[in-house]
Amino acid sequence: MEVVDLVKRYGAKTAVDGLSLTVETGSITAILGPNGAGKSTTLEICEGYRRADGGRVRVLGRDPIADRRELAPRVGVMLQAGGAWSAAHADEMLRYVASLYAHPLPVRALMERLGLGSCGRTPYRRLSGGEQQRLGLAMAVVGRPELVFLDEPTAGLDPQSRRSTWELVEQLVADGVTVVLTTHYLEEAERLASWVHVIDRGRLLTSGTPHQLTSAGAKGTLSFRARPGLALDGLARGLPKGYLVETEPPGCYRILGAMTPQILAAVTAWCADLGVMPEGLAVERHSLEDVFLELTGRELRA
Amino acid sequence: MSPLTHSPAPGAAPMSRMVASHAVMETRLLLRNGEQVLLAVVIPVLVLLGGAEAGNVIDLGSGRRIDVLTPGVMALAVMSTAFTSLAIATAFERRYGVLKLLGASPLPRTGLLLGKVGSLLAVEACQLALIALVGIALGWRPAGGLGGTLGAGLLLLLGTAAFAGLGLLMAGTLRAEATLAAANLVYVVLLAAGAVVLPVSAYPKAMEVVLAVLPSGALAQGLRDVTSGAGLDRTAVVVLTVWAVAAAALTARTFRWD
């Protein structure tokens, strides 16, 4: 899947502003960004629901709107919410969607796998939010698509539902399905995705594996407590250029920069020279959340 | 647990299976909905029974009461299913994202429409059979022979197309709640003032032209004429065709899928 210079405007507001990204076949790709970043709009253009105002989108090598008939059976879509008749029973709904495909998955087994085994006869409107979301996921995958779009598949789910959703997504990819999901949960991107695109205000900020993103720039913090007023000049000599030392509040020492075993050794050696025992020594690698905050100045879940 | 592999095997079901599946699904949902069943079956049958028993309280004009009533109640049944039920059901499909989801499914829009038509015709067939049976039990004796039956069939199909077009027009442009209210309101207004159950002759002379060009009046009066042996009213056929074509064209232009 390929998106090049995508632009989408709603009136005067530009929702997607020259976005380019690619999705590798057989991967789980997460599009990560805060609310209003343009995630859903991008997905809806890829799904063929909306027409782009500029740029080029290819899904499985096809145009999402012009080649809709050919793409529809090959692409599974999970909407952010809804997509079912409120009076339809859960199994009846899934059976109906399955009947639109040539080689659907067995409905019963799919419901069991998603923990929906006991809600077969329950009308859609009486399902819990988590059950509705999982049924939506089941409807997206029951036709055995090559590519699945999941728009915030675990938004508002309880931990158990989230886990069964994650397990299914991992199973999909193990079986050769390509998954594109949007999320504003970092844990989700870090746990599931082999590739993450971080977007904000309709633009791509950065891309990479979750590991690359969190170690890129390799920012980190080493902190400890000791008596206030230690002479810092010895420490500065022991550290490479570019490292910052903070001593606010007094007695709390923080070294900022790429954290390596050598840096840790230099800091402890300096402490040994001064005869100081560092207390509460901790090294923190930056999380995706910190990376995001640095890139956008915005909280993800704001 | 049984082995379940997600290995891709994409493909659409044959069109005929998709359409049949959709028609069955919509019909099941309609039958599950108490209000819809009330509208589709209970009200028409009550009107038929009540009208037949009401003696001379309501003037149905010349002719035997039951012969005037039965075709009118058939028109009412078509209006309830093709217009009110369809409008409300489709508006909520839009509201709940069903249409959006189907937009990404292998079911094409023509398939969706055919499925709806299938469901509509199945429900109408049951309604009309029931009304005909109750009518006959109450003494209805349709005249006109085979030609009359065919003419009635043509009017019923055109009426269905006209009302379904109007129902979809409403469902595709108004919010679901507004459709719910408006579709019921139009039903009640036409029932009272649209020459559905009461013949055109029961209304003031000045309204005659208006009633003749309303889809309700054209369908019901056409049915009354053709089942009483007066032949097929060409004007009614033209009126219903114009409504059907105009509503379909307008719907195609204005229908919003989400």
Side-chain angles (χ1 to χ4, degrees):
Chain A
M1 187 184 109
E2 194 183 25
V3 173
V4 182
D5 296 330
L6 186 67
V7 176
K8 179 70 193 177
R9 295 182 202 93
Y10 297 119
K13 193 177 164 276
T14 303
V16 180
D17 188 6
L19 185 72
S20 297
L21 53 85
T22 54
V23 169
E24 294 292 319
T25 304
S27 69
I28 304 183
T29 301
I31 300 176
L32 184 69
N35 293 332
K39 305 187 296 286
S40 294
T41 302
T42 303
L43 219 55
E44 291 196 339
I45 292 169
C46 295
E47 290 159 352
Y49 285 125
R50 294 179 196 284
R51 204 174 280 279
D53 293 321
R56 206 177 87 105
V57 176
R58 284 289 173 274
V59 173
L60 301 170
R62 310 278 164 195
D63 182 299
I65 292 178
D67 303 320
R68 193 183 184 107
R69 280 296 285 279
E70 195 214 310
L71 282 176
R74 300 173 66 192
V75 178
V77 170
M78 177 185 176
L79 302 177
Q80 223 174 79
W85 285 283
S86 66
H89 302 152
D91 60 352
E92 179 181 48
M93 188 66 216
L94 191 55
R95 241 173 265 285
Y96 162 74
V97 175
S99 76
L100 305 178
Y101 294 89
H103 318 285
L105 292 174
V107 164
R108 199 69 241 160
L110 182 57
M111 290 188 66
E112 297 284 346
R113 168 164 287 179
L114 279 165
L116 293 169
S118 60
C119 15
R121 295 280 301 160
T122 313
Y124 183 78
R125 65 169 175 275
R126 296 236 179 83
L127 296 174
S128 70
E131 287 162 349
Q132 290 186 351
Q133 297 265 84
R134 280 177 281 151
L135 185 64
L137 178 61
M139 295 194 295
V141 303
V142 73
R144 297 180 67 178
E146 294 164 52
L147 169 68
V148 178
F149 288 114
L150 309 174
D151 199 357
E152 305 202 351
T154 63
L157 287 194
D158 59 87
Q160 206 177 340
S161 300
R162 180 166 302 167
R163 217 167 11 254
S164 71
T165 299
W166 285 351
E167 279 164 14
L168 187 97
V169 170
E170 283 165 344
Q171 191 58 51
L172 285 173
V173 172
D175 290 342
V177 181
T178 306
V179 178
V180 179
L181 59 90
T182 65
T183 184
H184 53 233
Y185 294 118
L186 285 146
E187 316 88 272
E188 188 157 284
E190 275 185 305
R191 149 117 194 227
L192 284 180
S194 45
W195 200 260
V196 179
H197 296 290
V198 181
I199 71 172
D200 189 31
R201 298 186 170 94
R203 291 170 174 277
L204 182 69
L205 296 177
T206 185
S207 296
T209 65
H211 181 77
Q212 280 171 349
L213 291 182
T214 48
S215 56
K219 297 258 174 82
T221 308
L222 188 158
S223 59
F224 62 89
R225 294 188 305 278
R227 69 180 153 78
L230 295 177
L232 296 172
D233 47 338
L235 179 58
R237 253 177 281 126
L239 292 173
K241 266 199 154 97
Y243 283 80
L244 282 175
V245 181
E246 292 179 352
T247 57
E248 281 296 318
C252 286
Y253 294 83
R254 297 172 59 202
I255 293 97
L256 307 173
M259 281 307 137
T260 63
Q262 287 71 32
I263 298 299
L264 184 60
V267 173
T268 49
W270 171 68
C271 291
D273 282 349
L274 295 174
V276 168
M277 182 62 200
E279 284 174 36
L281 185 72
V283 178
E284 283 167 39
R285 203 182 60 140
H286 279 194
S287 69
L288 210 43
E289 180 125 34
D290 299 320
V291 174
F292 191 83
L293 205 60
E294 276 167 34
L295 286 169
T296 65
R298 287 218 264 166
E299 298 280 350
L300 261 176
R301 260 168 272 176
Chain B
M1 202 197 304
S2 60
L4 185 64
T5 172
H6 298 276
S7 58
M15 181 74 160
S16 56
R17 202 172 86 199
M18 290 195 279
V19 170
S21 177
H22 188 87
V24 168
M25 187 71 182
E26 283 216 18
T27 309
R28 287 169 72 155
L29 291 169
L30 187 140
L31 294 178
R32 193 169 296 160
N33 186 330
E35 295 144 49
Q36 304 271 40
V37 173
L38 187 75
L39 201 65
V41 177
V42 180
I43 292 179
V45 169
L46 282 181
V47 170
L48 191 56
L49 290 171
E53 297 302 315
N56 294 326
V57 180
I58 307 162
D59 182 17
L60 291 181
S62 58
R64 294 168 63 231
R65 293 184 69 81
I66 193 65
D67 288 346
V68 177
L69 264 175
T70 311
V73 171
M74 286 181 165
L76 180 68
V78 166
M79 198 167 86
S80 72
T81 301
F83 176 72
T84 310
S85 281
L86 180 70
I88 293 170
T90 308
F92 279 95
E93 283 170 356
R94 208 179 116 217
R95 154 77 161 276
Y96 291 133
V98 177
L99 295 184
K100 187 173 182 183
L101 189 90
L102 293 180
S105 82
L107 181 70
R109 285 176 181 180
T110 44
L112 174 66
L113 201 62
L114 286 174
K116 283 186 172 294
V117 169
S119 165
L120 207 60
L121 293 181
V123 173
E124 283 187 0
C126 296
Q127 288 177 292
L128 295 173
L130 181 69
I131 292 164
L133 284 176
V134 174
I136 286 167
L138 294 173
W140 179 44
R141 296 291 173 266
L146 182 64
T149 310
L150 289 176
L154 176 69
L155 287 168
L156 288 167
L157 282 178
L158 286 174
T160 300
F163 278 116
L166 292 169
L168 291 177
L169 179 64
M170 191 177 265
T173 46
L174 299 182
R175 282 185 312 113
E177 291 77 5
T179 301
L180 180 67
N184 280 315
L185 184 69
V186 169
Y187 173 85
V188 171
V189 168
L190 287 183
L191 172 59
V196 181
V197 177
L198 300 181
V200 173
S201 59
Y203 292 87
K205 198 86 182 145
M207 282 180 71
E208 216 165 87
V209 179
V210 179
L211 292 174
V213 297
L214 280 179
S216 55
L219 174 62
Q221 197 56 47
L223 284 175
R224 278 187 286 267
D225 290 346
V226 82
T227 56
S228 68
L232 184 60
D233 178 5
R234 300 273 154 82
T235 315
V237 172
V238 171
V239 167
L240 291 175
T241 306
V242 168
W243 277 102
V245 171
L250 224 68
T251 302
R253 274 162 183 266
T254 59
F255 199 92
R256 291 203 310 266
W257 294 82
D258 61 355

